[in-house]
Amino acid sequence: MRGLSRASLADVEERFNAVAGSADLGTLSDELFAVADLLDREHGLRRALSDPAGPVEQKSGVVRSLLSGKVGEAAIATVEAAAAARWSRAGDLPDVLERLGVVAAAAEAESQSRLDEVEDELFRFGRIVAANADLRRALTDANASEEGKRALLRDLLSGKVAPTSLRLITQLVLHPRGRSLETGLEEVGELVAEQRQRLVAVVRSAVELSEAQKQRLTTWLRTSYGRDVHLNVEVDKRVLGGFSVRIGDEIIDTTIVGRIEEVRRRLAG
């Protein structure tokens, strides 16, 4: 989605990956979309937060003052990281937040085993819009109200597509951000397809992992598997010491319970 700096994007994605594992991904997606939309409207705020000469601490203070109590900590941390990064133009800041909103939505669909479904639905909706001029006019009419467009999308899609598909399509219809609807659907579809290449690690621990622990674990797994890794952290009081990580069918178990079970299996054998 647009020509973002790879180095800056990687820095923000690393922070996003660290905080997204313990967040409600659907909520995080909505919140990042909302902040991106706010920055599109508030040009002065966008310039202030994307100014490469602006002190990082000052930007962080602005972000927290503006967003605390309105969005979750994961969204705030992601916006802070995006504001601290260096971008070639002010518009890159809302672009990266929208991008990560899509990634969060796709990760939620992946956790529900519906990512393939979402990818297909985005593609099919794009074809429907391209073939139906009246529908396209209704969805892209700049004079039509947002609520009217929301209602139209609910009537058309609610209960017929995955919630993630409806979330992403609604974002594109209400906030095209200078793109045609077809282009927006294509860009989002590409991001969703990229999400399929990311590993999902389910982490079980007796206590909530700190942000530093999540970052170290994410970095280690990325190095070990040679692919980006998304953490889904589950707090399970039955875990005694350490934690376990499940990636697909593979389990990395450092818990005391896991070691006991391994001893039992060996004795039984």
PDB file of all heavy atoms in Angstrom, residues 194-212:
ATOM      1  N   GLU A 194      -0.544 -11.319   1.821  1.00  0.00           N
ATOM      2  CA  GLU A 194       0.756 -11.328   2.490  1.00  0.00           C
ATOM      3  C   GLU A 194       0.652 -11.923   3.889  1.00  0.00           C
ATOM      4  O   GLU A 194       1.563 -12.595   4.361  1.00  0.00           O
ATOM      5  CB  GLU A 194       1.318  -9.906   2.590  1.00  0.00           C
ATOM      6  CG  GLU A 194       1.830  -9.334   1.286  1.00  0.00           C
ATOM      7  CD  GLU A 194       2.349  -7.913   1.462  1.00  0.00           C
ATOM      8  OE1 GLU A 194       2.627  -7.519   2.619  1.00  0.00           O
ATOM      9  OE2 GLU A 194       2.466  -7.197   0.458  1.00  0.00           O
ATOM     10  N   GLN A 195      -0.479 -11.663   4.548  1.00  0.00           N
ATOM     11  CA  GLN A 195      -0.669 -12.164   5.909  1.00  0.00           C
ATOM     12  C   GLN A 195      -0.599 -13.688   5.953  1.00  0.00           C
ATOM     13  O   GLN A 195      -0.186 -14.269   6.950  1.00  0.00           O
ATOM     14  CB  GLN A 195      -2.009 -11.687   6.459  1.00  0.00           C
ATOM     15  CG  GLN A 195      -2.293 -12.085   7.894  1.00  0.00           C
ATOM     16  CD  GLN A 195      -1.374 -11.412   8.887  1.00  0.00           C
ATOM     17  OE1 GLN A 195      -0.850 -10.338   8.614  1.00  0.00           O
ATOM     18  NE2 GLN A 195      -1.165 -12.031  10.036  1.00  0.00           N
ATOM     19  N   ARG A 196      -0.969 -14.335   4.887  1.00  0.00           N
ATOM     20  CA  ARG A 196      -0.931 -15.798   4.840  1.00  0.00           C
ATOM     21  C   ARG A 196       0.497 -16.321   4.930  1.00  0.00           C
ATOM     22  O   ARG A 196       0.713 -17.485   5.259  1.00  0.00           O
ATOM     23  CB  ARG A 196      -1.579 -16.295   3.556  1.00  0.00           C
ATOM     24  CG  ARG A 196      -3.040 -15.940   3.421  1.00  0.00           C
ATOM     25  CD  ARG A 196      -3.604 -16.402   2.110  1.00  0.00           C
ATOM     26  NE  ARG A 196      -3.565 -17.849   1.996  1.00  0.00           N
ATOM     27  CZ  ARG A 196      -3.894 -18.503   0.893  1.00  0.00           C
ATOM     28  NH1 ARG A 196      -4.263 -17.841  -0.190  1.00  0.00           N
ATOM     29  NH2 ARG A 196      -3.857 -19.814   0.861  1.00  0.00           N
ATOM     30  N   GLN A 197       1.465 -15.460   4.619  1.00  0.00           N
ATOM     31  CA  GLN A 197       2.859 -15.884   4.675  1.00  0.00           C
ATOM     32  C   GLN A 197       3.454 -15.714   6.065  1.00  0.00           C
ATOM     33  O   GLN A 197       4.595 -16.068   6.308  1.00  0.00           O
ATOM     34  CB  GLN A 197       3.687 -15.078   3.664  1.00  0.00           C
ATOM     35  CG  GLN A 197       3.179 -15.162   2.243  1.00  0.00           C
ATOM     36  CD  GLN A 197       3.074 -16.595   1.757  1.00  0.00           C
ATOM     37  OE1 GLN A 197       4.008 -17.372   1.931  1.00  0.00           O
ATOM     38  NE2 GLN A 197       1.949 -16.941   1.157  1.00  0.00           N
ATOM     39  N   ARG A 198       2.691 -15.142   7.004  1.00  0.00           N
ATOM     40  CA  ARG A 198       3.194 -14.895   8.349  1.00  0.00           C
ATOM     41  C   ARG A 198       2.804 -16.049   9.264  1.00  0.00           C
ATOM     42  O   ARG A 198       1.688 -16.536   9.233  1.00  0.00           O
ATOM     43  CB  ARG A 198       2.604 -13.581   8.881  1.00  0.00           C
ATOM     44  CG  ARG A 198       2.988 -13.273  10.304  1.00  0.00           C
ATOM     45  CD  ARG A 198       2.397 -11.963  10.755  1.00  0.00           C
ATOM     46  NE  ARG A 198       2.897 -10.862   9.960  1.00  0.00           N
ATOM     47  CZ  ARG A 198       2.593  -9.593  10.207  1.00  0.00           C
ATOM     48  NH1 ARG A 198       1.806  -9.294  11.199  1.00  0.00           N
ATOM     49  NH2 ARG A 198       3.076  -8.635   9.446  1.00  0.00           N
ATOM     50  N   LEU A 199       3.746 -16.482  10.077  1.00  0.00           N
ATOM     51  CA  LEU A 199       3.458 -17.536  11.041  1.00  0.00           C
ATOM     52  C   LEU A 199       2.704 -16.964  12.240  1.00  0.00           C
ATOM     53  O   LEU A 199       2.927 -15.823  12.638  1.00  0.00           O
ATOM     54  CB  LEU A 199       4.765 -18.158  11.526  1.00  0.00           C
ATOM     55  CG  LEU A 199       5.590 -18.933  10.489  1.00  0.00           C
ATOM     56  CD1 LEU A 199       6.923 -19.338  11.106  1.00  0.00           C
ATOM     57  CD2 LEU A 199       4.834 -20.144   9.999  1.00  0.00           C
ATOM     58  N   VAL A 200       1.822 -17.766  12.806  1.00  0.00           N
ATOM     59  CA  VAL A 200       1.105 -17.391  14.019  1.00  0.00           C
ATOM     60  C   VAL A 200       1.574 -18.298  15.142  1.00  0.00           C
ATOM     61  O   VAL A 200       1.488 -19.527  15.043  1.00  0.00           O
ATOM     62  CB  VAL A 200      -0.423 -17.508  13.846  1.00  0.00           C
ATOM     63  CG1 VAL A 200      -1.133 -17.187  15.156  1.00  0.00           C
ATOM     64  CG2 VAL A 200      -0.900 -16.575  12.745  1.00  0.00           C
ATOM     65  N   ALA A 201       2.101 -17.704  16.199  1.00  0.00           N
ATOM     66  CA  ALA A 201       2.578 -18.466  17.349  1.00  0.00           C
ATOM     67  C   ALA A 201       1.618 -18.256  18.509  1.00  0.00           C
ATOM     68  O   ALA A 201       1.356 -17.123  18.910  1.00  0.00           O
ATOM     69  CB  ALA A 201       3.984 -18.001  17.744  1.00  0.00           C
ATOM     70  N   VAL A 202       1.078 -19.351  19.026  1.00  0.00           N
ATOM     71  CA  VAL A 202       0.199 -19.295  20.192  1.00  0.00           C
ATOM     72  C   VAL A 202       1.047 -19.574  21.423  1.00  0.00           C
ATOM     73  O   VAL A 202       1.618 -20.661  21.569  1.00  0.00           O
ATOM     74  CB  VAL A 202      -0.952 -20.312  20.078  1.00  0.00           C
ATOM     75  CG1 VAL A 202      -1.834 -20.251  21.327  1.00  0.00           C
ATOM     76  CG2 VAL A 202      -1.779 -20.032  18.834  1.00  0.00           C
ATOM     77  N   VAL A 203       1.141 -18.586  22.300  1.00  0.00           N
ATOM     78  CA  VAL A 203       1.995 -18.677  23.481  1.00  0.00           C
ATOM     79  C   VAL A 203       1.114 -18.855  24.716  1.00  0.00           C
ATOM     80  O   VAL A 203       0.179 -18.081  24.939  1.00  0.00           O
ATOM     81  CB  VAL A 203       2.859 -17.411  23.637  1.00  0.00           C
ATOM     82  CG1 VAL A 203       3.781 -17.544  24.850  1.00  0.00           C
ATOM     83  CG2 VAL A 203       3.663 -17.152  22.370  1.00  0.00           C
ATOM     84  N   ARG A 204       1.395 -19.883  25.515  1.00  0.00           N
ATOM     85  CA  ARG A 204       0.677 -20.117  26.775  1.00  0.00           C
ATOM     86  C   ARG A 204       1.634 -19.890  27.929  1.00  0.00           C
ATOM     87  O   ARG A 204       2.719 -20.465  27.986  1.00  0.00           O
ATOM     88  CB  ARG A 204       0.105 -21.534  26.833  1.00  0.00           C
ATOM     89  CG  ARG A 204      -1.000 -21.793  25.834  1.00  0.00           C
ATOM     90  CD  ARG A 204      -1.449 -23.249  25.846  1.00  0.00           C
ATOM     91  NE  ARG A 204      -2.003 -23.637  27.129  1.00  0.00           N
ATOM     92  CZ  ARG A 204      -1.447 -24.528  27.940  1.00  0.00           C
ATOM     93  NH1 ARG A 204      -0.310 -25.117  27.614  1.00  0.00           N
ATOM     94  NH2 ARG A 204      -2.025 -24.842  29.094  1.00  0.00           N
ATOM     95  N   SER A 205       1.213 -19.026  28.851  1.00  0.00           N
ATOM     96  CA  SER A 205       2.049 -18.689  29.994  1.00  0.00           C
ATOM     97  C   SER A 205       1.154 -18.487  31.209  1.00  0.00           C
ATOM     98  O   SER A 205      -0.006 -18.089  31.079  1.00  0.00           O
ATOM     99  CB  SER A 205       2.846 -17.414  29.701  1.00  0.00           C
ATOM    100  OG  SER A 205       3.531 -16.961  30.844  1.00  0.00           O
ATOM    101  N   ALA A 206       1.697 -18.741  32.396  1.00  0.00           N
ATOM    102  CA  ALA A 206       0.901 -18.561  33.613  1.00  0.00           C
ATOM    103  C   ALA A 206       0.676 -17.091  33.920  1.00  0.00           C
ATOM    104  O   ALA A 206      -0.281 -16.726  34.592  1.00  0.00           O
ATOM    105  CB  ALA A 206       1.592 -19.236  34.797  1.00  0.00           C
ATOM    106  N   VAL A 207       1.552 -16.239  33.433  1.00  0.00           N
ATOM    107  CA  VAL A 207       1.437 -14.795  33.685  1.00  0.00           C
ATOM    108  C   VAL A 207       1.552 -14.051  32.354  1.00  0.00           C
ATOM    109  O   VAL A 207       2.080 -14.573  31.369  1.00  0.00           O
ATOM    110  CB  VAL A 207       2.531 -14.304  34.647  1.00  0.00           C
ATOM    111  CG1 VAL A 207       2.375 -14.964  36.008  1.00  0.00           C
ATOM    112  CG2 VAL A 207       3.925 -14.577  34.081  1.00  0.00           C
ATOM    113  N   GLU A 208       1.064 -12.829  32.346  1.00  0.00           N
ATOM    114  CA  GLU A 208       1.172 -11.991  31.157  1.00  0.00           C
ATOM    115  C   GLU A 208       2.637 -11.693  30.876  1.00  0.00           C
ATOM    116  O   GLU A 208       3.398 -11.337  31.780  1.00  0.00           O
ATOM    117  CB  GLU A 208       0.406 -10.684  31.374  1.00  0.00           C
ATOM    118  CG  GLU A 208       0.316  -9.814  30.132  1.00  0.00           C
ATOM    119  CD  GLU A 208      -0.576 -10.432  29.070  1.00  0.00           C
ATOM    120  OE1 GLU A 208      -1.681 -10.879  29.406  1.00  0.00           O
ATOM    121  OE2 GLU A 208      -0.138 -10.467  27.910  1.00  0.00           O
ATOM    122  N   LEU A 209       3.061 -11.871  29.632  1.00  0.00           N
ATOM    123  CA  LEU A 209       4.436 -11.560  29.268  1.00  0.00           C
ATOM    124  C   LEU A 209       4.608 -10.050  29.169  1.00  0.00           C
ATOM    125  O   LEU A 209       3.711  -9.335  28.728  1.00  0.00           O
ATOM    126  CB  LEU A 209       4.794 -12.212  27.930  1.00  0.00           C
ATOM    127  CG  LEU A 209       4.720 -13.739  27.848  1.00  0.00           C
ATOM    128  CD1 LEU A 209       5.155 -14.204  26.463  1.00  0.00           C
ATOM    129  CD2 LEU A 209       5.581 -14.393  28.911  1.00  0.00           C
ATOM    130  N   SER A 210       5.770  -9.560  29.561  1.00  0.00           N
ATOM    131  CA  SER A 210       6.065  -8.139  29.421  1.00  0.00           C
ATOM    132  C   SER A 210       6.311  -7.814  27.957  1.00  0.00           C
ATOM    133  O   SER A 210       6.552  -8.707  27.130  1.00  0.00           O
ATOM    134  CB  SER A 210       7.297  -7.769  30.251  1.00  0.00           C
ATOM    135  OG  SER A 210       8.466  -8.363  29.687  1.00  0.00           O
ATOM    136  N   GLU A 211       6.269  -6.536  27.634  1.00  0.00           N
ATOM    137  CA  GLU A 211       6.528  -6.134  26.247  1.00  0.00           C
ATOM    138  C   GLU A 211       7.939  -6.539  25.827  1.00  0.00           C
ATOM    139  O   GLU A 211       8.159  -6.974  24.691  1.00  0.00           O
ATOM    140  CB  GLU A 211       6.339  -4.616  26.091  1.00  0.00           C
ATOM    141  CG  GLU A 211       4.921  -4.137  26.331  1.00  0.00           C
ATOM    142  CD  GLU A 211       3.915  -4.819  25.436  1.00  0.00           C
ATOM    143  OE1 GLU A 211       4.271  -5.164  24.286  1.00  0.00           O
ATOM    144  OE2 GLU A 211       2.781  -5.056  25.881  1.00  0.00           O
ATOM    145  N   ALA A 212       8.900  -6.407  26.742  1.00  0.00           N
ATOM    146  CA  ALA A 212      10.284  -6.787  26.416  1.00  0.00           C
ATOM    147  C   ALA A 212      10.375  -8.285  26.134  1.00  0.00           C
ATOM    148  O   ALA A 212      11.077  -8.715  25.207  1.00  0.00           O
ATOM    149  CB  ALA A 212      11.219  -6.394  27.560  1.00  0.00           C
TER     150      ALA A 212
END
